[in-house]
Structures are given as C-alpha cells and as structure tokens.
Amino acid sequence: MAESESLNEHREFLEGFIADSREMLDEVEPILVELQQAFETEGQVDRETLNAVFRLFHSIKGAAGFLNLENVSNVTHAAETFLNHLREGRVELDDIRMDLIFKAADFIRRLLEKVEDEGKDGGVEPETEDIIQGLKSAGVTGMSDFPPGTVDPQPVDPDSGSEDPDEIQLVVTPEMKKQFIEESFELLDSVEQALLALENAQNSSESLGHAFRCLHSFKGNCGFFGYRDLERLSHKSETVLDWMKKGKAEVNGDNIGTLLRIVDTLRTGISGCSQGESGDIKGCDLLLNLLDDMIPASKQAALSSGPQPIGEILIERGDVTQEAVGIALEMQQRPLGEILVDMGRVSPDAVQSALSVQEKQGKKRLERRDIRVDLDKVNELNDLVGELVTAQAMVIRNPDLEGHEFENFEKAAHHLEQVISTLQDVAMSLRMVPVSGLFRKMMRLVHDLSRKSGKKVNLEMTGEETEMDKTVIELISDPLVHIIRNAVDHGIEPPEVRKRAGKAPVGTVFLEAMHEAGEVWIKVGDDGRGLDKEKIRAKGIEKGLIREGDALKDEEIYRLIFEPGFSTAEKITDISGRGVGMDVVGKNIEQLSGRVDVQSTPGQGTTIILRIPLTLAIIEGMLVRSGDARYVIPLSAIRESFKPESSNVVSLPGGRNMVRVREDLIQVARLVDLFHLGDGNGKGEEEILVILDDRGKSFGLLVNEILGQMETVIKGLPRYIGAVKGVSGCTILGDGDVSLILDAGGVIKRAGL
C-alpha cells in the first residue's frame, strides 16, 4: 500500500513538472523571438529579457534535477550556461546561436513527451550530447569547464572597483572556508536539536528562537561565500520559523518534519561544498514551494508578488558580484544600494537603474490565484450543470402544478432559476481561456518560416486577451499553422520584389482576435501579393471543380483554395505546395460549426477570417416545431424569419420550390420533408420561413412554429447512431424531451445544394 502511494505521488510530481515545463517553454519561445528582433533592430541584447529566459531555463533545470531527469537537467544546464555567457557579453547573439536555443527547447519538449510516456528521460544520451556539443561548437567559451549540475562561477565585474581580477578570490582563504564549513555543521546541528525539541513540545518559544538565530547566522555565512541555493533555502526556512514564533504558522508534526528534511538538504549541500562543489541544491525550487505551503496565504501572496530584491537585479545585470552583495547584506542597516555605493562596488546610476526595474516589477507582478484542473473534470461539471438546468425546468413546469397557484413556490422557483443561471455562467467561464497562448506560439512558427524561406517577416498580434473555449482553441491551432505557412510561402514576396513594388523589405503577417455577433473572429492576414484570381479559376477548371463559362463571384473563386489537393504553387517546398493545408483549415472549421471568409486585394495582401462559435458546450438557439418534432437552430446561422406570401413561392420542374426574398430567389424545403417526418405531418398549418446562411449560401426552411429563443447545452449524439447529415448534436428540453440541434451547412447539403 505504501509503495503504491509512493508511486502515485511520484507520478503526480512528474505530471506537475511536465505541465509546468511545457508552460515555461511556451513562454520562452516568444520571448526569444522578441529578443532576436530587438537585437536586429537595436544591435544590442535586452538584459532584462535575457534574464527572464535564463530564469525559466533555470527553473526547469532545478525541478528536473529533483526528479533525477538527467538528460533534461543536462540540456537545460547547457542552455542556461550559454545564456549566462550571452548576458555577460562573452559571446554575441546571432542567428546560429538563436537556432541552437530553439533546437534545445524543441529537444526538451521531446524529452518531456518521453517522460510523460515512460516516466523517465533515458535512452537518448547521444542526442543529448549532440545538443550540448552543438552549443559548445558555436563559440560558447568555458562551457566544458563546468560539468552538468554545477553553476558556472560569476566572473569579477570590471566595474566593481577591483583592478586585479583575482582580488575577490584571494579574500576567501582556505582557512576561512574550512571555518565556514565547520561552523555550518554546528549551526545545522543546533537547528536540528531545536526542531526535535519542538516536536516533543519542549519550550516551544525558546526552541523556535534558537532555531531562528542559528539559521539566520547560517544564511548570512552562505550569502558571504556566494552559495546562492543554500542562502535561499535557509532564508525561506527562517521566514517559516519567524511566522511560527508569531503564532501565524502551525507548529505541528508535518511542518517540523518538513523543516528537518530541509536541514538534511542543507547539510548535504555543505558536505558538497567541503569537496569543492558549487553548493547547488537539486530541486531547490520545489523545496522552496514546500516551505511556501507552510506560510499563511496572505504572507505567501506578498512574498510571491513582490518585486525582485535589488541585490539580485544588480547581480543579474552584471553591475556587482555575489560576494559584494553578501558582504553588504551582513552590514545592512541602510538601503542595500547605498551600502554598495559607499563600498565602491557599484555606481549610483546602476543603483537607480536597478530601482527603476524593481519598481516596474512591483507593478507588473500580480498575485497568482489559479489552480490547474483536469479538463475532463470541467467537462463533467458542465454536464452536471446542464442536467441541473433540465431538472429545474422539469420541476417548475411539472404538469401536476397546472391549475394551481403557489405564491411561495413561485418565489422559490424564481430564486432557484437565478442561482442556476449564474452557476451555468460560472461553469461555462471555466472553459474559457485567452487566445494569447495560441497566438504567441505562432511567433516561433513565423520565425522558423522566415528563416527557411529567406524572407524577412514580422508577426503583429492584437486582441490576445480575447477568450475562447479551450477545446475550440485546440482545434483551431492546426488551421492557424496552415494559414500562416501559406501566407509566408505564397503571400509575402521576397525582399527584392517588395522593394521594386515600393513596399518595405520586411513583410508583415498579422493575427487578430475579436468578439463579433456571438462568435469569435480570428483574422489572419498578410501585406503580400494577394490571391491570383485568374490563376485560381484556371486551376479550378483544370481540376473539374468549375466550368469554363461559370459566372462566379470573387468569394466563390477564393473558396476553391479549400478544396482537397488544390494548389497553384509551381513547385512543392518543405513549407507548402501540396494542396493539403487549406483543406485542413476548411474541415477543422466545419467541424467547429464555423465559417471561413476570404478577402484579398492584388498587390496588397490577403485576409482570412475564421468565424467560430464562442464555445462548443453551449449555443444561443431558436427552438422551432415542425409537425410533432422540435428542433434547435443556432442563432448565428439564421439571417431572418417571416411568414411568406403564397405569391412569392415558386415551384420549379423537378419538385423544387423557390421563394422570392426581395431581389433574390432562394430554394426552400419543409423541415418535415428533409427529415422524413411523415406525409402530411404539420403541412396543413400556417408555415414560417427561416432563412439560413452558410458560407455565402442561403436556404429557406419552412417550419410550423417558432417556440422561442433559448440557451442550449450541447450534447453529442450516441455513438450507435453515428453521424447524421444536418445534425450537430442534441439537447434536453425542460419537459425532458430530446431535441436535435441543426447544422446549417449540413441542412443545405441535405437539401442538395
């Protein structure tokens, strides 16, 4: 039983690590693209951006080390060291080095997939070594001097006031280090004894004070000698003890056990230092998280949301060394920046700059108040809320209540309806996420495509805060990739062609998201050459999709690009040209019950608009009756509805009916006929015409009655029924009956259009 719990706990750690690492990689790639763009335009590396990338790789490395994932740890260490050389100015940023970092990020993703499938990252050691050797061969100096799992020592800052680069090294003598190690073991032994006394409930106040003082001394010594992880871990432990002293954190067996584990880890770190190791602690960030869990929520929020300490900022910017900050911290009675200036270790301008950075961080960093929840659980919650809505309608509209008036029941029913409506809105909002994550992934795609095609292309994004159903976002990822690939390969011209056309040599691809008429519109466009209408028409005639004499609107011609195998490319490249990509776009958007519009101007560019339902779980629909059956039609597919005049209905040879709507003739059909509901079923009643629109096609549907508008929870059809043309799903009505939800495009196809 214990072994099973251990395995489950290990698996939980792995799953959390994989999810967090993927999120960090998703965050890293757009930052790298922005870094390269800034370097190309300004000719210098933005240190703050580089520091952010460095910290993300460092976080992945620490967690991987804690979980004994050596390949992930080794690659992230190599990437981290490379980034450290970049920010210190030892090497310059160029395309080759940027490609290496991207290659390392891609390889880490592959390792994460391996960990997800097998629970380990072994078996790819040769590839791991190739990645590390690739970084070394790119002119990265000094990487081979430091084995994985150790930190590259910080060089002496030339502006720190030392003329001799070895001056700081000479300050720390072997005797001093020996004394530090001996004293550290003694201090940790004292902390351990104090914690054990706490566990036995002996003199809790005195024991807490003693443990706090010993850890405080240990922390100061570690800061002086530059052992960063030991200092961070002891500082956080010291904070926990301080809150225990104030009675704001619990003194219980679990918390004391965690602190004893931290002491053991610190002792192991000191043992490594005595053997010449760097003092790095594998899994330091995870241990810090364990300590965070012991800190009251309000304090923890303040710690996590506060700006980065000025000492850390100065070290990361290369303005001062770790040793100097450690010395200043020991004598700190005034602001740290002032002490460092007085010591001659840093300039006043550097301190002011660091304070400015700290102020910006304080404004930007917000308290994180989210948790990771499995999507299946969210779906289950939405299903249950849907059932609750149905149950509510069945209770309130119960036939047993007909003919009776219960005032208190009506009040209670009204309140219940309000609560359930609010609950439904909240449950639906849990599925909604911003499109920013999806959009920022496209930055890497555009970067790689521009390199492959030899073109200069920028990506501009707007509306990143627009929210969509998470399931919808996953399904539109592939269509976006294919549209952007075509935009870069076919749309954007080579720099010399753009110059001759009076355009900037750098092309632009733009992504825009917005809410429009109950839908989400994703616009993907470029400022390239535009679609060649005549070329598309000729290709359509060649493939038998249209006839020579067909009079087609521009939109109808442009729609041919979504046909399977359709391509006007003269040669196939590794980017596009096989006629598959836009077919995928059409099918995926159709699966979402969405629409695709194409706009293009020769010489100016092309815009493709994906019009997608806000969510796949709920729609605004119109409930209609045809005969004895009731159907739901999505409001987004309805153009208008009215009672037609008999004089406007025209019968054509072959049994088809047309109706004149203003200047247009639109084909119409009865819903009872389309779904074979029986001869004469409802045909004697007065009928209402509902005009449906889909991809530029219009169709009239005759129904017997419009019952009203409703918010509908979508449920899939049972598997044994299979796919039904013209039906996208079903819903349960208030009286318990099942109603089919119509798909406008499928209904039009079912009618033979």
Side-chain angles (χ1 to χ4, degrees), residues 304-417:
S304 61
S305 63
Q308 189 180 8
I310 187 172
E312 290 185 11
I313 297 173
L314 289 167
I315 292 170
E316 288 182 352
R317 292 161 60 95
D319 294 320
V320 73
T321 62
Q322 176 77 54
E323 291 91 337
V325 172
I327 294 170
L329 286 170
E330 281 299 298
M331 51 190 292
Q332 186 174 9
Q333 293 180 344
R334 293 177 293 140
L336 181 64
E338 291 183 14
I339 298 174
L340 289 168
V341 171
D342 290 346
M343 291 170 60
R345 297 300 178 90
V346 67
S347 67
D349 289 343
V351 172
Q352 286 301 319
S353 177
L355 287 170
S356 176
V357 171
Q358 189 181 55
E359 182 180 359
K360 290 178 182 178
Q361 289 179 344
K363 292 177 180 178
K364 288 181 180 178
R365 295 190 183 188
L366 300 174
E367 177 186 353
R368 182 169 181 174
R369 303 181 63 187
D370 57 359
I371 59 173
R372 184 179 289 111
V373 180
D374 190 286
L375 186 59
D376 290 340
K377 293 182 179 180
V378 177
N379 292 337
E380 184 179 0
L381 174 63
N382 277 280
D383 289 342
L384 290 173
V385 171
E387 296 291 343
L388 186 60
V389 171
T390 302
Q392 170 213 346
M394 294 174 70
V395 170
I396 294 176
R397 299 175 186 174
N398 194 305
D400 294 344
L401 297 175
E402 289 184 11
H404 299 281
E405 292 187 7
F406 303 109
E407 184 178 349
N408 290 335
F409 176 81
E410 292 293 335
K411 290 180 180 178
H414 179 67
H415 179 65
L416 177 65
E417 189 173 7

Side-chain angles (χ1 to χ4, degrees), residues 21-45:
S21 298
R22 283 175 173 160
E23 286 181 6
M24 285 187 276
L25 288 172
D26 288 342
E27 189 176 346
V28 160
E29 290 183 345
I31 294 175
L32 287 171
V33 174
E34 292 170 353
L35 189 70
Q36 186 179 30
Q37 290 174 347
F39 179 76
E40 290 174 350
T41 55
E42 302 172 11
Q44 59 184 7
V45 177

Side-chain angles (χ1 to χ4, degrees), residues 199-314:
E199 199 169 36
N200 296 325
Q202 297 175 2
N203 301 322
S204 59
S205 177
E206 183 180 339
S207 298
L208 281 170
H210 183 61
F212 177 88
R213 288 189 295 273
C214 291
L215 266 180
H216 183 75
S217 299
F218 175 84
K219 178 194 73 174
N221 292 342
C222 291
F224 176 83
F225 283 88
Y227 295 128
R228 178 67 178 140
D229 282 358
L230 294 173
E231 181 187 18
R232 291 167 64 203
L233 202 52
S234 54
H235 174 72
K236 185 59 68 72
S237 302
E238 178 187 22
T239 302
V240 170
L241 288 170
D242 184 46
W243 280 79
M244 285 181 172
K245 283 199 304 177
K246 295 174 180 177
K248 297 181 179 180
E250 291 186 22
V251 182
N252 55 36
D254 290 340
N255 287 349
I256 293 173
T258 300
L259 288 171
L260 287 171
R261 284 175 56 194
I262 298 298
V263 170
D264 291 339
T265 303
L266 294 172
R267 190 179 283 119
T268 302
I270 292 296
S271 297
C273 295
S274 67
Q275 299 171 14
E277 295 178 5
S278 67
D280 264 16
I281 296 176
K282 287 187 176 182
C284 183
D285 290 333
L286 288 178
L287 293 173
L288 290 170
N289 288 338
L290 284 176
L291 291 169
D292 275 339
D293 292 339
M294 299 162 61
I295 299 174
S298 58
K299 174 64 177 176
Q300 188 172 331
L303 291 174
S304 61
S305 63
Q308 189 180 8
I310 187 172
E312 290 185 11
I313 297 173
L314 289 167

